[in-house]
Amino acid sequence: MDMQVAKKKLGLKERYAVMTRGLDWVPSYQKMEDIYPYMTYEGIKIHDWDKWEDPFRLTMDAYWKYQSEKERKLYAVLDAFNQNNGHLNVTDARYINTVKLFVSGISPLEYVAHRGFAHAGRQFPGPGPRVACLMQSLDEIRHAQTQVHAVANYNKYYNGMHDFHHAHDRVWFLSVPKSFFDDAITAGPFEFMVSIGFSFEYVLTNLLFVPFVSGAAYNGDMGTMTFGFSAQSDEARHMTLGLEVIKFILEQDPDNLPIVQRWIDKWTWRGYRVLTLVAMMMDYMLPKRTMSWKEAWEIYFEENGGALFKDLARYGITMPKCAEQIALEKDHLSHQAWSTFYNYAAAANFHTWMPDEDEMAWLSAKYPNSYDKYYRPRMEYWREQAAKGNRFYNKTLPMLCQTCQVPMIFTEPGDPTKTCYREVDYKDSKYHFCSDHCKAIFEHEPEKYVQSWLPVHQIYQGNCFPEGTDPTVEGFDPLAAVLKYYHLESGRDNLDFEGSEDQKNFDEWRGMATKNV
Amino acid sequence: MHIDLRTVTIKPLRHTFDNIARRLGADKPATRYQEGTLDMQQTVNFHYRPTWDPDHEIYDASRTAIKMADWYAFKDPRQFYYGAYTMARAKQQDTAEANFDFVENRGLAETLPADVRATVLELLVPLRHVAWGSNMNNASICAYSYGTAFSQPGIYQAMDQLGIAQYLTRVGLLLGGVDVLDEAKDSWMTADTWQGLRRYVEDCMVLKDPVELFVAQNVALDGLLYPLVYETIVDDVLSAKGGTPVAMLTQFMTDWFAETKRWTDATMKTAAAESAENKEILAKWVSQWRDRAAATLLPVARIALNERTDELVAEVVQQFNARLVKAGVPL
Ligand SMILES: [Fe+2]
Ligand SMILES: [Fe+2]
C-alpha cells in the first residue's frame, strides 16, 4: 500500500507524455537509420526529437468518443438530406457544378493526405510527431469518405460526377490538383509536412475549404455545409500540427532555415495555382456569391497570412516572394480561369455558362480595375454569340505549364493584355511555364518535373484514347475518343449549362414541389 | 428559402457511382463501406516517383510478393469505414471507461493478491511497448500497401494498437504510477525475458513487404499473443487467482481481438484463395513468423504460467494453426 501513497497525480502534459512518447524506445536490434530510412536525404537536421511540443493532447479513447459523436450527427443530417430531396433546396442547378468540381478535384486529395500522413506518421523518429501525423491520417480518410457519402446523393440526380475517381486520374484540368498532391507525397517527409501540414492546412486552408463550405451554406446545400463544418474541428488540430512542424524544424538547426523558406515559397505558389479553380468557383459558379476571390485573398492571405509571417519573422522566415505576383493577379485570376473553362466546356466534367446581367454588375463592382475594361467585353460577346446559336467550344488543346499544369492562360504580371510564357532548355528538350515561379520550381528539381504526366502531351501522344482506338481512320474524332477515355458522356456531362439535362431536370423536379401540376 | 420537398417523388438517374456499379455488376444502391472504400486510391497516371522510393510508384502493388488480379477482392467483414469504425470503438471505449471506474472507485486494484499484482506489472505493463510497435507496423501497412480495401484497416489497426498501449499504460498507472512504467520499460530494454520479443518487433519495423508485415505482426504475433495473454493468462489463470479486476481492465483487448481476427482471417483467406503461389508464400511467412513468435513468447508466458508454460503455449499454437488452415493457408 506504500505505493499508493507515493503515486502522484500526473498533470495533463505529463500524462499525455507517458501515453505517447513514454511508449517509444531506442532500438538496438535494428539500426535507427534502417527503421527510419528517410530522415536525412532532404538535408533537414534534427538534434533532439524530445523538444517537440505536442500541438494537441488527445488520447485514443477521447478521440473515439469525440469523433464518433461528430459522425453520428453528420450522418443524421446526410440521411435527412437524402430522404427529403435536399438537393432541390439549392439556389439553382448551376450550384451543383461546384459539387462536381469538389468531388473530382478535392475529395481525392483528402485520400492522398490520408496516405501521406500515414507515411509521415511512420517515418519520423520522434514519437510526438508520429502520433500527431497518424491521427491526421485517420482524420483525412474521414474527410475523403464523408465527402463521397455527401456527394453520393447528388450523383443520383445529376451528371458529371458518376465516375469521379476515374476522372481524377485522367481529365486534363484535374491534373492540376492531382499533381499538387503527387508532388507533396513524393517529396521527403519533412517537405510533405511543410507542403501539406503547413502551407496547405495552415496558410491556404481558409481559401479552399471556407469558400466551398460557406458557398454551400449560402446556396442551400445542407449536406456539403454539414461535412464542411464537421471537418472544421479536425482542421483546427491539423493547423496546430502544421505550425508546430515549422517551428520545431526551425528551432532545431539554423541550417534548416533556407530549406524551409524555399519549401514555403514553392508550396505557397503551388497551392495558389490550385486555388485558381476556387477563384473561378467563387466569382462565377456560386449562384449566390459569398465574397469575391479578391476579397478572400485580401482577408485570408494578405491580412491573416501577413500576421502569420510577421510571427515567423523571429525564425528568419519571410513572406514568400510570390505574394507580390499573386497580388497583381488577384484582379484577373478568376476571369481568365472561367474564360478558359467556358472555352473548354466540351472536355470538362461540369457545365459552364456566361454570367447574367446582374452577375456582371456584381463582377464590375468587385473588380472595378479590371472587369469592365478587360473581361466584360469578351464575355458579352460570347453571350451574344451563344444567343445567336454560336456557342463557342474550343476543340484544340492548350499548352500546359510543366510545373502547375494549368493551361498557359495567365498574363504578364502588370500587363493583362500579354500572355506570360517562360521556357527552359533541359537535356535536349524545351519545357514551358506559366510564370517565373513555376519555372524556378522546375529549375530546382528538373528531374522531378520532367516526369509530369501532362494531359495535353499525353493526348497528342495517343495515350488518352480507349484501348484499341485507331486514330488514323478516316473521320477520327479525337475529342470524342478522349471523352470516352475520361468516361464522360458527351451532351450530358459536358457543354453549357443552358440546355443541359441538369438544368431541365432540376426545373422540372422543383416545379413538382412548388407548383400544382 | 426552404421548401418542404419530402412529398416529391423523383426517379434517380443512377443509384451509385459507376466504379461501384461496375464492381457490383449492376447499378444498385451501395453501402457506405463500399462507397468509402472501392477505388478510393488513385491507380494511374501518377506524376512523379517518390523521391524516397524511386523504384516504385506512389502506390505500387509490386511492393509485396503477393499478387492479386484485383486488390479490391479484399473485404473487411466488419465493413469499417471511418464512421462505422469510430462508432464501434466509442462503444467499446464506454465499456472500458466504466470498467476502469468500477475498479478504481471500489479500490479493487489494492485488493489484488500480491502474485497477481506482480504478474500484471511484470507481464502486462511491458506489453504497452509491443502495442506501440504494432502501431508503427500498421502505419507501414496502411502507407505502403496497395488498394484501399487492404490499406484502410491498417490505419484503424494502428490507432487501435495505440489505444491498447494507452489502456495498458493506465493499468500501470492504476497499479503503481509512473515508476511502474519505468521499471517495465527497463525490463523491455534489458531483461532476458523480453529480448526475443523486442527483437521480433524491431525486425518487423524494417520489413519492406507490407503483406509480409501484415502476416508477421497482425497474423502471427498478435494471433498468438492475444489468445495467450488475454484469454489464457488474464481471463483463465489470473481470474482463478482472484484477478477478475484485471480481466475488467483488459476487456477492450479481449473484445478487440475477437473482432479484428475476423478481418485478418478474411484477408488471409482472400489472398490465399487467389493462387497457389500466394498460398505458398503465405504458408512460408506464417510458419516462419509463427515459430519465431511462439519462441519469443515462451519466456514472457512463463511469468504467469510457470511449469504449465510449454503446454499452454503449445495449445495456443495449435488453435492458431487450426485457425489459419481454416483460412486456407496450408501449414
Ligand atoms: Fe482534410
Ligand atoms: Fe505554372
Side-chain angles (χ1 to χ4, degrees):
Chain A
M1 294 301 109
D2 286 358
M3 233 183 250
Q4 288 307 307
V5 181
K7 203 165 78 181
K8 67 172 198 303
K9 196 104 176 99
L10 293 173
L12 265 182
K13 190 175 168 183
E14 290 163 296
R15 188 181 147 84
Y16 188 71
V18 299
M19 292 286 193
T20 51
R21 51 186 83 184
L23 299 166
D24 199 45
W25 70 92
V26 179
S28 60
Y29 297 106
Q30 292 289 343
K31 294 200 224 51
M32 280 298 271
E33 59 266 37
D34 292 332
I35 293 181
Y36 307 104
Y38 310 135
M39 272 307 103
T40 51
Y41 82 99
E42 294 175 90
I44 292 293
K45 294 175 187 159
I46 303 294
H47 304 288
D48 184 2
W49 285 98
D50 280 342
K51 291 271 158 57
W52 171 268
E53 289 283 341
D54 294 310
F56 48 85
R57 292 191 276 271
L58 198 55
T59 49
M60 283 314 296
D61 52 354
Y63 179 93
W64 290 324
K65 195 181 163 84
Y66 185 56
Q67 295 295 103
S68 71
E69 275 309 309
K70 290 182 359 191
E71 286 290 278
R72 218 185 300 280
K73 284 184 195 144
L74 171 60
Y75 282 100
V77 173
L78 291 185
D79 288 341
F81 181 86
N82 298 350
Q83 268 162 29
N84 301 346
N85 290 318
H87 58 97
L88 292 178
N89 267 320
V90 303
T91 38
D92 76 57
R94 291 179 303 167
Y95 166 78
I96 293 155
N97 292 288
T98 66
V99 176
K100 302 176 191 181
L101 186 60
F102 193 84
V103 77
S104 62
I106 308 297
S107 303
L109 307 185
E110 301 274 17
Y111 184 81
V112 190
H114 154 64
R115 296 288 288 261
F117 278 101
H119 163 63
R122 168 59 185 80
Q123 292 301 336
F124 289 119
R130 276 216 306 280
V131 168
C133 286
L134 289 181
M135 219 170 254
Q136 180 157 355
S137 169
L138 185 57
D139 291 337
E140 299 296 0
I141 198 169
R142 167 178 200 240
H143 298 173
Q145 291 177 332
T146 52
Q147 287 167 24
V148 172
H149 291 152
V151 173
N153 189 251
Y154 282 104
N155 172 56
K156 289 180 184 164
Y157 299 98
Y158 304 94
N159 296 319
M161 53 203 133
H162 49 87
D163 214 355
F164 72 94
H165 290 296
H166 184 90
H168 182 74
D169 278 347
R170 293 166 181 82
V171 173
W172 59 282
F173 74 93
L174 293 173
S175 80
V176 174
K178 179 171 167 159
S179 67
F180 174 91
F181 255 79
D182 277 11
D183 195 351
I185 199 174
T186 55
F190 287 106
E191 185 177 350
F192 175 80
M193 290 305 291
V194 173
S195 64
I196 305 304
F198 178 73
S199 300
F200 198 68
E201 294 275 357
Y202 200 93
V203 185
L204 300 175
T205 190
N206 282 336
L207 287 155
L208 180 67
F209 287 99
V210 175
F212 273 107
V213 174
S214 55
Y218 271 56
N219 287 278
D221 176 3
M222 279 296 288
T224 306
M225 190 182 85
T226 309
F227 83 61
F229 282 127
S230 191
Q232 277 301 303
S233 54
D234 303 342
E235 296 301 337
R237 260 186 290 119
H238 302 171
M239 288 174 78
T240 57
L241 172 58
L243 193 58
E244 172 56 26
V245 163
I246 287 285
K247 291 182 172 173
F248 174 72
I249 298 175
L250 291 171
E251 279 168 5
Q252 282 290 311
D253 197 291
D255 290 351
N256 294 339
L257 175 62
I259 304 174
V260 171
Q261 179 74 56
R262 190 171 50 71
W263 286 340
I264 292 178
D265 293 354
K266 166 182 168 181
W267 288 99
T268 303
W269 181 256
R270 287 288 263 128
Y272 162 69
R273 274 296 187 240
V274 175
L275 292 178
T276 302
L277 297 171
V278 181
M280 73 174 196
M281 185 275 284
M282 296 182 77
D283 286 345
Y284 287 89
M285 295 174 72
L286 292 177
K288 172 86 183 140
R289 314 284 201 260
T290 56
M291 61 168 74
S292 69
W293 158 256
K294 185 181 174 184
E295 288 166 325
W297 181 259
E298 286 167 353
I299 294 171
Y300 294 120
F301 190 86
E302 293 178 0
E303 283 174 36
N304 298 358
L308 167 70
F309 282 103
K310 221 174 259 167
D311 188 43
L312 291 174
R314 65 194 148 114
Y315 299 102
I317 290 290
T318 54
M319 175 65 105
K321 273 206 270 321
C322 62
E324 289 165 26
Q325 182 165 342
I326 300 174
L328 291 173
E329 287 187 4
K330 69 189 173 191
D331 276 314
H332 306 280
L333 184 74
S334 63
H335 318 302
Q336 294 179 353
W338 187 246
S339 300
T340 305
F341 276 87
Y342 183 77
N343 264 260
Y344 290 107
N349 60 340
F350 60 93
H351 301 300
T352 57
W353 55 89
M354 274 295 110
D356 63 23
E357 209 44 62
D358 285 350
E359 288 164 343
M360 284 196 185
W362 183 87
L363 288 162
S364 300
K366 294 293 181 186
Y367 294 95
N369 305 326
S370 61
Y371 189 70
D372 287 348
K373 190 163 175 205
Y374 301 107
Y375 304 104
R376 182 191 275 269
R378 75 172 80 156
M379 290 191 184
E380 281 176 345
Y381 176 75
W382 284 331
R383 209 172 55 185
E384 277 164 30
Q385 290 301 310
K388 285 191 218 154
N390 301 328
R391 169 62 162 96
F392 173 65
Y393 294 109
N394 191 338
K395 293 184 182 176
T396 63
L397 301 171
M399 183 190 276
L400 304 181
C401 171
Q402 185 75 24
T403 304
C404 69
Q405 310 204 12
V406 178
M408 312 257 288
I409 58 170
F410 302 109
T411 48
E412 283 290 345
D415 183 358
T417 63
K418 195 172 164 213
T419 305
C420 184
Y421 294 106
R422 300 289 182 272
E423 58 180 55
V424 168
D425 287 306
Y426 182 73
K427 289 190 178 170
D428 302 330
S429 283
K430 209 176 265 307
Y431 295 91
H432 301 274
F433 305 94
C434 73
S435 58
D436 292 329
H437 301 290
C438 277
K439 175 170 171 269
I441 291 168
F442 175 93
E443 285 172 319
H444 188 79
E445 272 181 287
E447 285 302 319
K448 181 168 200 179
Y449 296 99
V450 294
Q451 301 172 62
S452 301
W453 190 91
L454 296 178
V456 170
H457 287 49
Q458 296 298 325
I459 291 171
Y460 278 128
Q461 286 168 28
N463 297 330
C464 299
F465 305 135
E467 222 156 302
T469 301
D470 178 6
T472 61
V473 295
E474 188 83 36
F476 174 69
D477 180 349
L479 178 64
V482 168
L483 290 178
K484 276 209 187 89
Y485 169 76
Y486 290 171
H487 289 183
L488 292 182
E489 206 182 320
S490 195
R492 288 181 90 200
D493 295 323
N494 59 352
L495 305 183
D496 203 292
F497 174 74
E498 200 57 50
S500 66
E501 189 178 63
D502 277 6
Q503 181 190 36
K504 193 177 85 13
N505 282 342
F506 184 85
D507 286 350
E508 187 184 316
W509 292 332
R510 183 122 100 188
M512 287 162 66
T514 53
K515 294 186 196 79
N516 299 306
V517 195
Chain B
M1 177 180 60
H2 183 87
I3 317 170
D4 186 7
L5 299 158
R6 225 163 317 198
T7 51
V8 185
T9 310
I10 54 178
K11 199 170 135 13
L13 305 182
R14 56 186 79 76
H15 292 93
T16 187
F17 298 103
D18 292 358
N19 62 303
I20 316 267
R22 282 194 294 271
R23 290 184 178 283
L24 301 183
D27 171 41
K28 52 185 184 191
T31 64
R32 284 193 165 134
Y33 170 66
Q34 288 166 333
E35 290 189 333
T37 304
L38 298 174
D39 305 300
M40 285 294 275
Q41 177 205 287
Q42 288 77 352
T43 52
V44 295
N45 303 337
F46 298 108
H47 291 278
Y48 328 97
R49 291 195 163 242
T51 56
W52 39 270
D53 182 12
D55 295 338
H56 293 101
E57 302 243 49
I58 297 171
Y59 313 110
D60 196 326
S62 75
R63 285 199 178 98
T64 175
I66 294 299
K67 292 195 172 54
M68 299 293 297
D70 176 12
W71 282 85
Y72 288 92
F74 293 104
K75 278 172 199 73
D76 184 346
R78 305 165 301 176
Q79 305 221 20
F80 274 171
Y81 60 97
Y82 179 93
Y85 163 73
T86 44
M87 285 185 226
R89 290 295 173 264
K91 228 165 120 188
Q92 286 165 280
Q93 147 333 104
D94 263 349
T95 309
E97 216 44 56
N99 287 350
F100 268 89
D101 280 351
F102 188 88
V103 172
E104 264 171 313
N105 293 342
R106 285 172 178 71
L108 295 182
E110 288 81 42
T111 67
L112 286 179
D115 63 329
V116 171
R117 180 193 188 84
T119 305
V120 171
L121 296 184
E122 272 178 61
L123 172 68
L124 276 190
V125 183
L127 286 176
R128 65 201 273 271
H129 300 294
V130 181
W132 175 251
S134 173
N135 162 266
M136 288 181 64
N137 289 329
N138 277 291
S140 277
I141 292 166
C142 174
Y144 311 118
S145 62
Y146 192 82
T148 307
F150 192 95
S151 66
Q152 170 176 228
I155 192 68
Y156 303 147
Q157 191 86 350
M159 302 319 270
D160 286 345
Q161 290 279 7
L162 176 59
I164 287 169
Q166 293 175 340
Y167 280 129
L168 289 171
T169 303
R170 285 176 64 180
V171 171
L173 290 175
L174 182 62
L175 261 62
V178 178
D179 295 346
V180 156
L181 303 179
D182 292 341
E183 281 159 33
K185 186 165 183 179
D186 203 45
S187 301
W188 173 246
M189 295 307 292
T190 58
D192 287 344
T193 318
W194 292 98
Q195 297 319 295
L197 191 49
R198 184 158 72 84
R199 181 189 288 267
Y200 186 106
V201 173
E202 290 184 18
D203 286 354
C204 286
M205 288 177 183
V206 300
L207 286 181
K208 295 273 184 243
D209 183 318
V211 183
E212 183 178 6
L213 182 52
F214 169 87
V215 169
Q217 174 68 59
N218 296 334
V219 178
L221 180 56
D222 289 347
L224 296 175
L225 189 150
Y226 279 75
L228 183 63
V229 171
Y230 297 103
E231 288 165 23
T232 304
I233 296 177
V234 174
D235 286 359
D236 296 347
V237 179
L238 295 189
S239 290
K241 290 186 192 172
T244 310
V246 181
M248 292 185 71
L249 299 176
T250 57
Q251 190 192 334
F252 183 94
M253 288 70 132
T254 316
D255 295 348
W256 176 85
F257 181 70
E259 176 219 276
T260 53
K261 83 174 175 202
R262 288 168 52 216
W263 161 62
T264 43
D265 287 355
T267 303
M268 291 300 277
K269 199 170 184 172
T270 303
E274 175 83 0
S275 66
E277 292 76 26
N278 281 1
K279 210 173 272 185
E280 197 184 313
I281 298 168
L282 291 171
K284 187 186 78 187
W285 284 341
V286 169
S287 54
Q288 276 174 3
W289 288 104
R290 172 204 59 197
D291 292 349
R292 261 191 81 177
T296 61
L297 286 169
L298 274 175
V300 174
R302 199 158 283 129
I303 298 170
L305 300 177
N306 305 314
E307 69 283 351
R308 292 189 64 204
T309 303
D310 291 338
E311 167 211 341
L312 291 176
V313 170
E315 221 170 82
V316 167
V317 171
Q318 218 164 32
Q319 286 162 8
F320 172 89
N321 289 343
R323 213 188 111 197
L324 269 291
V325 167
K326 209 174 144 216
V329 181
L331 290 173

